[in-house]
Amino acid sequence: MEISKEKLEWMYTTMYRIRRFEETMLEQTFKGNSMGVTHPSDGQEAPPTGVCAHLTDKDWIGSTHRGHGHCIAKGLDTHAMMAEIMGRATGQCGGKGGSMHIADFSKGMLGANAIVGASIPLAVGAALTAKYKGIENESVGVSFFGDGASSQGVLHESMNLASVWKLPVIFACENNGYAEATPAWYSVSAEDIASRADGYGMPGVVVDGMDVFEVYEAAGEAIARARAGEGPTFLELKTYRYHGHFHADDPKKYRKPDEEEHYHERDALKNFEKRVTGQKLMSAKKLKSIRDSIEQEMLDAVEFALESPMPDVEALYSDVYVNYSNPIFGLR
Amino acid sequence: MTTHNKIDPLGPGYEGVAGKELRFRDVFRDTLRAEMNRDQDVFLMGEDISGGFDRDTKEPLDAWGGPFAATKGLVQEFGPERIRDAPISEAGFVGAAVGAALTGLRPVVDLMYFDFVTVAYDQLLSNAAKSRYMFGGQTRVPMTLFARSGAGTGHAAQHSESFYSMLAHIPGLKVVVPSDPYSVKGLLAAAIRDDDPVFLVNDKKLINLTGFVPDEDYVIELGKGRYMQRGDDVTLVGMSYTSVVCEQAAVQLADAGINAEVIDMMSLSPFDEDILLESVQKTNNVVIVDEDTPRASMASEFAAVIADKAFDHLDAPVKRVTGPHSPVPYNKGLENAFMPQPEDVVGTVRNMLGRD
Ligand SMILES: Cc1ncc(C[n+]2csc(CCOP(=O)(O)OP(=O)(O)O)c2C)c(N)n1
Ligand SMILES: [Mg+2]
């Protein structure tokens, strides 16, 4: 698949932005500046990047507790994301959602979701809207979820629905080998999760999720199918999270060093750099200038977040409903 | 084995009882262990409860030891058959627990966070709670479930609920809410030995608290509350962590010369009407403290019972101190404003007694 120069630059920018956002976010978390639990996605840059490279703001994605990468690949503003994690009024959700609930409806981002599996049918619903309005060609639904989430009944119901109704959905399963400490070989009864697609009458494709070019190609085909009205596709993107399950988790307790090394050698960013410079598609200088601008962006994002005000206490009561006749404050 | 249905608290200095100061989480695990030793049919299911497996040997690693390390060490003792690590399939394994309970085992299910109850709610509501009744009393469902509730840890909207009334509303299901190491030992043991489905809700804020625990094997009778402190100016009613909030409020009230009586409900279904009525008849004033949202809540239910059965003894309307009718926000300041604080209880009591 031919990839334009602009697209290549976008991919590198996006992957590096995800990597540095997670590292910066973790630094801030350990400094005590985050207000809650964070689940970093460094190592898993290729899946959101390779998939979202084909999407516009009119396409929708559903995400997970490990959602920063999805947000960034869908074009969310890292300043507002950092501010959200720090619980600020300027945060993407006004400080009310936090790391596990970042959403931007203007960018086609249906929200990170802390209930494992819960966002999967939302992407099916977005695809239903598209089909209903006759705009499948410009609006598909992509659901990102993990190997662990593949054990939830709602995935299976969603796959069947999408297939029965022939909806423009991409089930993008990021198999990083673990759900918390539980390995996928223990909890998933199939060698490849993608093999389950067969039973629901849709193509299932196993993809190297450490290689953004492979993800880009497989996602391109799936999204083209969806836009052409040919229905859903299941992609299993085999990837790896470098960090623990959440900010304070030590993965060495349940993963072996050789396994971690194996994936670090196949690092999505390093391999991208090697490939594009080797094939003279991008210069080392260009790569560096992208990295430099992201470094600055991260510094700015942290500064913006730290200097932003906290939400007013009234925010506790606002936006529970669109309208409601008798708002109920805490009974005191 | 003793059954505790005494209505005064056990605590340091409690006459004639041998025991020690222990952490809530350790007591929880020790009680699970004791119940598993006591009855071979008791086993545990849940996500990550054995915390990872070795890639080569396939043996459990106990790296996590369960959510909040609640089951740490148990898989080495009991093996993976009885500490059964489950895929992320709450509807499936709660349903399987009901099936196992209907056919002779006594499953205990760790649902991790309270908010995940809804993923399995159909199995709980339609199967666990109703089987005995709708099948004309032919069967029993001796299962126990537990999950961590409550705000205050920055887990935001989908990991912080305390929807107790969603459980207590279900006929056929029992609900208990320990508030300290003493009560978690007695209530968990009673829940596991009970022949009905029992849900134990465990506020996250309790997990690292310590308290006095008797050495002896005991159960706390389901449906009983207890007095944490005696007083005659006002009754403060707590459940789970709000019992701790009530005790803190009582200390502040004492400084202001107000003598509060503190009741810890311990069970929400069935619940102890007698202790509520007895105390209100004495103090004539009552404040109920509940971290749940206020509509159709336990606080409302207790208020209704008091209004119904002790109306003539009340000097002032029954007051409730609860969360707002909102999901739990992420920002720390907002989250603190969501949760009933001791100061909120104190303010409510002062208003009620006209002691500003
Ligand atoms: C319904 C539900 N059950 C359990 C959890 C607790 N939990 C949070 S993340 C997680 C593991 C998810 O694994 P996976 O889907 O593979 O995603 P990953 O964390 O690897 O990105 C679990 C069990 C939850 N949040 N929601
Ligand atoms: Mg995973």
Side-chain angles (χ1 to χ4, degrees), chain B residues 42-86:
Chain B
V42 174
F43 71 103
L44 188 62
M45 287 199 276
E47 292 153 21
D48 278 284
I49 58 170
S50 62
F53 293 85
D54 187 281
R55 187 184 66 200
D56 304 317
T57 65
K58 312 290 183 215
E59 289 299 320
L61 291 170
D62 204 21
W64 268 42
F68 297 88
T71 46
K72 186 106 186 138
L74 296 185
V75 72
Q76 283 92 337
E77 262 171 82
F78 298 105
E81 287 290 323
R82 292 184 73 195
I83 300 294
R84 182 170 289 270
D85 214 293

Side-chain angles (χ1 to χ4, degrees), chain B residues 256-271:
Chain B
I258 298 169
N259 221 338
E261 181 145 288
V262 178
I263 293 175
D264 173 27
M265 291 304 287
M266 294 199 292
S267 283
L268 301 180
S269 179
F271 69 79

Side-chain angles (χ1 to χ4, degrees), chain B residues 40-343:
Chain B
Q40 293 303 306
D41 290 337
V42 174
F43 71 103
L44 188 62
M45 287 199 276
E47 292 153 21
D48 278 284
I49 58 170
S50 62
F53 293 85
D54 187 281
R55 187 184 66 200
D56 304 317
T57 65
K58 312 290 183 215
E59 289 299 320
L61 291 170
D62 204 21
W64 268 42
F68 297 88
T71 46
K72 186 106 186 138
L74 296 185
V75 72
Q76 283 92 337
E77 262 171 82
F78 298 105
E81 287 290 323
R82 292 184 73 195
I83 300 294
R84 182 170 289 270
D85 214 293
I88 310 176
S89 310
E90 287 86 0
F93 63 77
V94 170
V98 180
L102 288 168
T103 50
L105 298 182
R106 303 186 83 83
V108 179
V109 177
D110 181 349
L111 263 175
M112 203 179 294
Y113 288 85
F114 182 89
D115 312 64
F116 311 158
V117 167
T118 44
V119 181
Y121 201 57
D122 180 51
Q123 291 301 325
L124 201 56
L125 172 73
S126 300
N127 285 339
K130 293 179 180 170
S131 286
R132 179 169 175 81
Y133 183 85
M134 69 188 177
F135 300 137
Q138 289 181 72
T139 190
R140 320 176 160 206
V141 188
M143 67 187 283
T144 305
L145 302 101
F146 62 90
R148 291 108 189 135
S149 64
T153 51
H155 278 81
Q158 294 179 334
H159 278 56
S160 304
E161 298 293 7
S162 308
F163 287 158
Y164 306 125
S165 57
M166 213 174 81
L167 301 176
H169 195 70
I170 304 176
L173 182 67
K174 294 175 179 170
V175 186
V176 297
V177 282
S179 65
D180 62 3
Y182 162 74
S183 54
V184 77
K185 176 172 171 177
L187 289 170
L188 181 59
I192 293 173
R193 294 178 203 182
D194 198 80
D195 280 341
D196 289 313
V198 182
F199 205 119
L200 184 148
V201 190
N202 172 185
D203 192 301
K204 301 190 222 25
K205 296 183 283 299
L206 295 168
I207 289 174
N208 289 318
L209 299 189
T210 58
F212 178 82
V213 182
D215 291 335
E216 64 172 356
D217 173 30
Y218 64 93
V219 294
I220 294 174
E221 192 180 331
L222 301 182
K224 289 282 179 193
R226 61 174 165 161
Y227 291 107
M228 303 302 286
Q229 177 177 318
R230 295 294 199 157
D232 38 33
D233 293 333
V234 61
T235 302
L236 306 181
V237 181
M239 62 203 90
S240 184
Y241 186 74
T242 63
S243 294
V244 176
V245 173
C246 287
E247 288 186 279
Q248 291 166 348
V251 172
Q252 294 182 27
L253 287 168
D255 289 343
I258 298 169
N259 221 338
E261 181 145 288
V262 178
I263 293 175
D264 173 27
M265 291 304 287
M266 294 199 292
S267 283
L268 301 180
S269 179
F271 69 79
D272 194 343
E273 290 193 13
D274 294 343
I275 196 170
L276 289 176
L277 300 176
E278 181 182 79
S279 180
V280 169
Q281 280 166 17
K282 183 177 73 175
T283 63
N284 313 118
N285 291 294
V286 59
V287 176
I288 303 158
V289 190
D290 186 356
E291 192 179 305
D292 200 350
T293 54
R295 286 294 190 241
S297 62
M298 291 314 297
S300 306
E301 182 62 26
F302 298 153
V305 167
I306 295 165
D308 180 15
K309 298 187 178 169
F311 185 78
D312 292 338
H313 297 274
L314 289 170
D315 283 348
V318 178
K319 285 288 167 194
R320 291 166 290 161
V321 176
T322 70
H325 189 63
S326 304
V328 177
Y330 172 73
N331 171 276
K332 217 19 31 332
L334 298 183
E335 195 187 32
N336 285 336
F338 179 97
M339 297 183 290
Q341 305 289 348
E343 294 69 32

Side-chain angles (χ1 to χ4, degrees), chain A residues 51-52 55-63 74 104-111 122-127 129-130 133 135 138-144 168-170 227:
Chain A
V51 172
C52 295
L55 305 180
T56 75
D57 289 353
K58 291 187 187 155
D59 296 302
W60 294 94
I61 67 165
S63 172
K74 203 70 177 59
D104 186 345
F105 287 78
S106 72
K107 294 270 165 54
M109 199 313 179
L110 292 164
L122 304 183
V124 175
T129 301
K133 291 187 177 168
I135 52 165
E138 56 182 54
S139 181
V140 303
V142 179
S143 156
F144 287 103
V169 182
I170 288 78
R227 295 205 196 284

Side-chain angles (χ1 to χ4, degrees), chain A residues 275-283:
Chain A
R275 178 151 161 185
V276 294
T277 51
Q279 298 183 4
K280 304 221 180 313
L281 298 168
M282 280 174 84
S283 67

Side-chain angles (χ1 to χ4, degrees), chain A residues 35-36 84-85 87 95-96 98 101 113-114 151-152 180-182 186 249 256 258 316 321 326 328 331-332, chain B residues 48 52-56 64 85 88-90 154 156 158-159 295 320-322 325-326 330-332 344 348:
Chain A
M35 285 189 170
E84 186 61 33
I85 292 167
K96 286 161 78 165
H101 306 300
N113 205 304
S151 298
Q152 286 289 30
E180 297 183 347
T182 301
Y186 173 84
D249 176 37
K256 300 215 162 140
D258 64 323
L316 177 56
Y321 301 91
N326 55 339
I328 303 153
L331 299 175
R332 300 284 145 92
Chain B
D48 278 284
F53 293 85
D54 187 281
R55 187 184 66 200
D56 304 317
W64 268 42
D85 214 293
I88 310 176
S89 310
E90 287 86 0
Q158 294 179 334
H159 278 56
R295 286 294 190 241
R320 291 166 290 161
V321 176
T322 70
H325 189 63
S326 304
Y330 172 73
N331 171 276
K332 217 19 31 332
D344 300 321
T348 304

